[in-house]
Amino acid sequence: MKRISIDRFHTYSEITDLLEGWAASYPNLARLFSAGESPEGRQQWVLELTCHAAGKASDKPAYFINGNTHAGEVSGSAACLYTIQHLLTGYAQDDLCTHILDTRTIYVMPRVAVDGSEYYLTTPNSVRSAPRPYPDTAPADGLTPQDIDGNGMILKMRFPDPLGEWKISEQDPRLMVRRTPDEFGGQYYRVLPEGLIHNYDGVEIKLAESAFGLDFNRNFAANWFPEHKQEGAGPYPFSAPETKAVADFMLSHKNIVGTLAYHTAAGLFLRPFAHLSDDRMPPGDLDIYKALGVLGEETAGLPTFSLYHQFWDPNSLTLGSFPEWAYEHYGIFGLEIELWNLPKRAGIEYPGGFKGM
């Protein structure tokens, strides 16, 4: 049986190879099909996991797991692949894995942003969701990060400037630290990403807006608003074939009763609402979300935050997201899990939540 590699992230062809191998090795437990095709011709694979000898997949309550809605958050697809491998290898060996596949159906879409993640993994560049120009097709003015020297990386550049905000660290000359407001008479620098400047005016070097501004997690139909109110929303709900494929898949599988989306950033679970306070949610639903939060903290050691109250500034809402659509339009309990936590790894705690991040 093919197994995932834990020392790197997998490309599209490697994920395809793994999924096809698992479907071939476990014909009674795994079936592979495509939920849709991306603009660049890649399949949005879904692996259906259930014991077919114990009943039809469509007759069992199902859970839908997806990852990599955002192209660079590749830990999400890694978690999806690990989930698949754990369930398949655990069947008939582990009581819980066996019970799950005998009585439930698990649908796993390891990678939503199939084009964007391939771009992220195979080039030095970053992209939010898809390498397609949005909202403008013309290059934006300013500095666009680019691998100028062809070494496969986009690094930071420092150059001397008496008005610069940075100075070399006394502890490590490779590091830059902030200059304090009352400092003068030293060697100071400006720090910018490696790249090219478009339409330089000879004075200001500003960072250009990304050419690829579409955000799949702002393109779902629940509480969708256009670009002037929600950056990255797309021209209309489900305008991205990738998000439409997710919605179409769920709408064609009415046995789905819950969903979890793997993201990467803050080390926590996120739940609706994103646009309303908790007192607007039906009390019974809020109780269930809180109970799920307790379970998540007990099993994964991660807290559960409200998108509205704790994760974002209520004056700058997150509109058109997947868990909102799953809850408000599809009618199930949707959660996101943010894997990893860079600030915490650096020793920084946010006791009041993650507002403004």
Side-chain angles (χ1 to χ4, degrees):
M1 185 201 80
K2 295 181 180 294
R3 301 186 70 89
I4 61 173
S5 298
I6 60 173
D7 59 347
R8 59 187 172 81
F9 295 109
H10 294 78
T11 63
Y12 170 78
S13 62
E14 291 170 334
I15 289 177
T16 300
D17 191 44
L18 282 167
L19 297 176
E20 290 177 342
W22 284 330
S25 298
Y26 296 91
N28 190 45
L29 298 177
R31 293 179 181 175
L32 180 64
F33 48 90
S34 174
E37 185 173 284
S38 75
E40 294 183 12
R42 297 182 179 90
Q43 304 304 310
Q44 282 179 251
W45 296 120
V46 175
L47 196 66
E48 174 193 270
L49 302 171
T50 195
C51 178
H52 295 283
K56 291 176 58 178
S58 59
D59 290 341
K60 301 175 185 178
Y63 203 76
F64 176 54
I65 302 170
N66 67 57
N68 251 162
T69 298
H70 292 138
E73 298 179 10
V74 287
S75 64
S77 57
C80 287
L81 295 172
Y82 178 82
T83 300
I84 294 169
Q85 181 173 281
H86 179 72
L87 288 171
L88 291 176
T89 58
Y91 187 79
Q93 305 295 322
D94 177 86
D95 289 343
L96 181 57
C97 291
T98 304
H99 175 73
I100 289 172
L101 295 186
D102 279 346
T103 62
R104 305 290 190 271
T105 299
I106 309 296
Y107 299 112
V108 185
M109 181 186 289
R111 183 161 287 168
V112 176
V114 286
D115 292 345
S117 291
E118 198 71 6
Y119 179 80
Y120 175 82
L121 287 170
T122 60
T123 77
N125 305 301
S126 296
V127 60
R128 182 62 165 169
S129 291
R132 304 192 288 271
Y134 174 85
D136 300 312
T137 56
D141 290 348
L143 190 152
T144 298
Q146 188 173 325
D147 177 18
I148 300 299
D149 57 7
N151 67 348
M153 297 180 288
I154 297 176
L155 304 176
K156 295 286 187 180
M157 306 181 295
R158 68 185 184 192
F159 56 92
D161 184 340
L163 300 179
E165 300 174 318
W166 300 90
K167 63 181 181 180
I168 296 175
S169 169
E170 294 179 357
Q171 297 181 355
D172 188 333
R174 298 172 300 174
L175 301 179
M176 306 297 288
V177 295
R178 285 278 187 180
R179 171 188 183 181
T180 60
D182 59 347
E183 280 191 81
F184 61 93
Q187 178 68 68
Y188 306 113
Y189 297 84
R190 296 185 69 182
V191 177
L192 292 169
E194 177 184 0
L196 290 177
I197 303 171
H198 182 68
N199 284 342
Y200 180 46
D201 62 7
V203 178
E204 181 184 12
I205 302 177
K206 64 179 182 180
L207 294 180
E209 294 289 336
S210 172
F212 307 136
L214 181 61
D215 188 333
F216 288 170
N217 212 29
R218 309 293 183 268
N219 190 235
F220 286 83
N223 309 303
W224 181 91
F225 280 87
E227 188 71 19
H228 75 275
K229 185 169 183 178
Q230 176 59 72
E231 291 185 1
Y236 53 87
F238 299 125
S239 59
E242 295 92 335
T243 59
K244 186 175 185 300
V246 171
D248 287 346
F249 175 80
M250 291 182 65
L251 291 169
S252 64
H253 292 77
K254 297 296 187 182
N255 58 327
I256 295 175
V257 297
T259 184
L260 176 67
Y262 280 109
H263 287 251
T264 309
L268 45 79
F269 289 93
L270 292 171
R271 63 164 176 84
F273 286 127
H275 69 299
L276 295 172
S277 61
D278 281 352
D279 60 9
R280 302 289 297 277
M281 183 179 285
D285 288 358
L286 183 58
D287 287 343
I288 291 175
Y289 266 123
K290 288 182 176 179
L292 289 172
V294 171
L295 183 62
E297 189 147 17
E298 289 176 349
T299 56
L302 302 177
T304 296
F305 281 6
S306 157
L307 279 160
Y308 180 87
H309 287 287
Q310 294 160 298
F311 196 69
W312 296 111
D313 183 345
N315 295 316
S316 179
L317 301 178
T318 304
L319 305 169
S321 68
F322 171 70
E324 289 272 285
W325 178 81
Y327 175 67
E328 293 199 53
H329 286 206
Y330 190 85
I332 62 174
F333 292 96
L335 287 168
E336 289 182 0
I337 180 171
E338 295 277 353
L339 302 169
W340 199 41
N341 187 337
L342 178 58
K344 188 172 183 178
R345 291 289 296 272
I348 302 171
E349 296 287 348
Y350 293 91
F354 287 77
K355 292 179 182 178
M357 284 188 66

